[in-house]
């Protein structure tokens, strides 16, 4: 499985995402570097206030599993 990073950004754009990945490459071991960076407006949460992993997965699939 691949690591996916979900981020909320004050500025958006490919340059910001590339900078984030470059920072990860210089500070993390190879196996921890995200495969993709997905920019979202806010982290989805459930009724308990914890992040909603199922919703994050569906956001990823909506963005990266297009034909």
């Amino acid at each position: 499985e691949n690591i996916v990073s979900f981020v909320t950004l004050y500025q958006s754009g490919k340059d910001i995402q590339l900078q984030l990945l470059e920072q990860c490459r210089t500070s993390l071991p190879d196996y921890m570097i995200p495969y993709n960076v997905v920019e979202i407006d806010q982290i989805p949460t459930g009724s308990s206030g914890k992040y909603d992993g199922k919703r994050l997965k569906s956001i990823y699939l909506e963005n990266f599993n297009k034909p």
Side-chain angles (χ1 to χ4, degrees), residues 19-59:
Q19 289 174 11
L20 175 64
L21 286 172
E22 185 58 35
Q23 180 64 34
C24 288
R25 286 185 189 102
T26 61
S27 60
L28 295 173
D30 288 344
Y31 69 92
M32 294 181 76
I33 297 171
Y35 180 74
N36 281 321
V37 176
V38 179
E39 184 180 341
I40 56 178
D41 293 329
Q42 65 183 35
I43 302 293
T45 57
S47 59
S48 66
K50 295 180 181 179
Y51 80 93
D52 185 345
K54 290 181 182 179
R55 180 68 186 126
L56 285 173
K57 184 175 182 176
S58 69
I59 290 170

